[in-house]
Amino acid sequence: MRRLPPVLIDDGCSRELLSLIRTILAACKEISFRVGQGALSGVLGSTLDENIQGETQKKLDVLSNQLLKDILLESGYVKAIASEEEDYTVAGNPDAEYIVAFDPLDGSSNTDINSLVGTIFSIMKAPHGSDPADQTIFMQPGHQQVAAGYVLYGPCTTLALTIGKGTRIFTLDKTHGSFMLTEEFAKIPEDTKEFAINASNQRHWQPAMQNYVNDLLAGDTGPRGKNFNMRWIAAMVGDVHRVLCRGGLFTYPADTKDPNKPFKLRLLYEANPMAMLVEQAGGIAHTGEQRILDIDPQEIHQRVPVILGSKNEVEACLGYHK
Ligand code: AFP
């Protein structure tokens, strides 16, 4: 079984990008340890603070953010970072080539119930000669990402990673602290009988999504002519991992529950990196109107609708949106 560094070197990954990825993973190993300690580490539960998006921060959100932020800025490999838990981007080394956007602990409401959580990251190149304090250096469409990945803290700690040459899965060997290659080419099956959506929002969805899900629920008595199963982990990182492993459709569609917040998932550090991983594994990632990786971002914490997963099922869903 091969370790992460030689695998990426074979893919033509530059030394600097490899060092940056290893730096992110060093923080993730520490987060994995803290998450695994659970109540013993005294970091379960919420802080008294909210992030800029009005969400209550969990203690592990804050801790994970601090670990990633400190290690990245100290490494000298990043020109700037953007995080779900930071109001604004944070400037780093003016001479560095890369910028990183991350969700330090996706699905953090799951920490208190010992369920799946993970770290999601997106790496892009900073425009040549750009100012590290300039927020607009992050305003790049997702197809310009040079690497994307997540680390899932579950029964085992798993890394899904792409540098644009397929999506690979690694498993953390906790006996010596290395990520070992456990799936060379993740391939999402084109067909599926499984979908993931928070069905409690059904009455707030747009008609296209209402009609699509109604037809799935009708099973073999409806127009789809087959029965579907439903799953919801409440952590995108867990739901996308299932899609990468055995296929499926995952969606967080537009809804009218809160008119000020029609979409839930964040473009730069959730939708974009997941879209790159999914496309590199043969799937589709779309908003219902356009390919996620072609969106021109307007702001750091921008939210978008997400429909991703098995090619034929996403296309079936998009058919309802035409
Ligand atoms: P956090 O990163 O704030 O924990 O949010 C998780 C998330 O953005 C995404 O990972 C889930 O798919 C989604 O929220 C779950 O949302 P519901 O609260 O509607 O289940």
Side-chain angles (χ1 to χ4, degrees):
M1 214 175 284
R2 298 167 71 211
R3 293 179 193 224
L4 177 121
V7 174
L8 292 189
I9 290 165
D10 287 355
D11 269 354
C13 181
S14 72
R15 289 176 76 90
E16 192 163 1
L17 181 57
L18 176 61
S19 300
L20 172 54
I21 292 170
R22 294 177 81 177
T23 302
I24 294 171
L25 296 180
C28 291
K29 287 178 202 173
E30 180 67 24
I31 298 170
S32 170
F33 176 73
R34 302 291 184 102
V35 168
Q37 288 285 91
L40 299 178
S41 61
V43 289
L44 299 188
S46 302
T47 66
L48 297 174
D49 297 325
E50 282 187 350
N51 62 21
I52 197 172
Q53 301 160 68
E55 297 161 340
T56 306
Q57 289 179 304
K58 295 281 183 186
K59 290 180 191 166
L60 270 169
D61 279 325
V62 176
L63 180 86
S64 307
N65 184 56
Q66 201 63 49
L67 282 167
L68 276 158
K69 181 178 163 181
D70 288 348
I71 199 168
L72 280 170
L73 295 178
E74 277 166 22
S75 73
Y77 294 125
V78 287
K79 180 168 263 192
I81 58 160
S83 163
E84 180 186 356
E85 305 304 337
E86 296 286 333
D87 296 357
Y88 306 103
T89 63
V90 183
N93 175 6
D95 300 323
E97 200 180 344
Y98 296 105
I99 53 177
V100 180
F102 57 86
D103 179 349
L105 203 65
D106 177 59
S108 54
S109 66
N110 280 351
T111 51
D112 297 341
I113 59 165
N114 193 15
S115 189
L116 296 181
V117 288
T119 298
I120 309 173
F121 58 91
S122 157
I123 304 177
M124 293 178 288
K125 281 197 170 171
H128 191 64
S130 54
D131 175 358
D134 179 1
Q135 312 255 330
T136 65
I137 59 180
F138 283 88
M139 300 300 108
Q140 304 182 31
H143 62 245
Q144 289 181 206
Q145 293 171 108
V146 294
Y150 62 75
V151 177
L152 176 67
Y153 312 113
C156 61
T157 293
T158 307
L159 163 70
L161 180 68
T162 180
I163 59 167
K165 295 188 174 163
T167 291
R168 292 195 166 87
I169 312 274
F170 301 81
T171 304
L172 179 62
D173 185 337
K174 293 182 181 172
T175 58
H176 52 70
S178 298
F179 280 99
M180 309 301 292
L181 181 65
T182 41
E183 185 153 7
E184 177 82 49
F185 293 109
K187 174 86 184 96
I188 300 174
E190 294 189 350
D191 292 297
T192 183
K193 290 182 170 182
E194 201 161 59
F195 69 106
I197 191 165
N198 183 344
S200 69
N201 294 324
Q202 178 151 21
R203 68 192 185 284
H204 304 292
W205 299 333
Q206 293 166 347
M209 193 52 82
Q210 300 253 8
N211 294 336
Y212 168 67
V213 172
N214 282 341
D215 287 351
L216 298 184
L217 295 177
D220 59 9
T221 64
R224 298 300 306 276
K226 62 179 181 179
N227 294 323
F228 283 81
N229 199 3
M230 188 162 70
R231 288 282 183 274
W232 189 247
I233 292 176
M236 184 190 199
V237 69
D239 281 310
V240 171
H241 189 65
R242 186 186 58 255
V243 168
L244 276 184
C245 291
R246 66 177 189 210
L249 179 139
F250 165 84
T251 179
Y252 213 115
D255 66 51
T256 56
K257 198 162 63 172
D258 175 354
N260 296 318
K261 208 172 81 178
F263 318 123
K264 170 102 181 184
L265 300 176
R266 277 55 60 105
L267 175 61
L268 290 190
Y269 41 81
E270 290 178 325
N272 269 345
M274 293 310 201
M276 184 174 179
L277 288 163
V278 165
E279 285 199 4
Q280 286 291 318
I284 296 179
H286 213 270
T287 65
E289 286 185 358
Q290 70 177 129
R291 180 183 177 226
I292 287 173
L293 294 180
D294 287 339
I295 299 172
D296 281 318
Q298 304 299 314
E299 49 172 315
I300 298 298
H301 299 292
Q302 178 174 344
R303 296 170 188 264
V304 292
V306 171
I307 306 166
L308 62 76
S310 293
K311 181 176 175 293
N312 292 340
E313 195 52 43
V314 174
E315 281 173 352
C317 178
L318 296 179
Y320 289 73
H321 290 74
K322 281 183 182 141

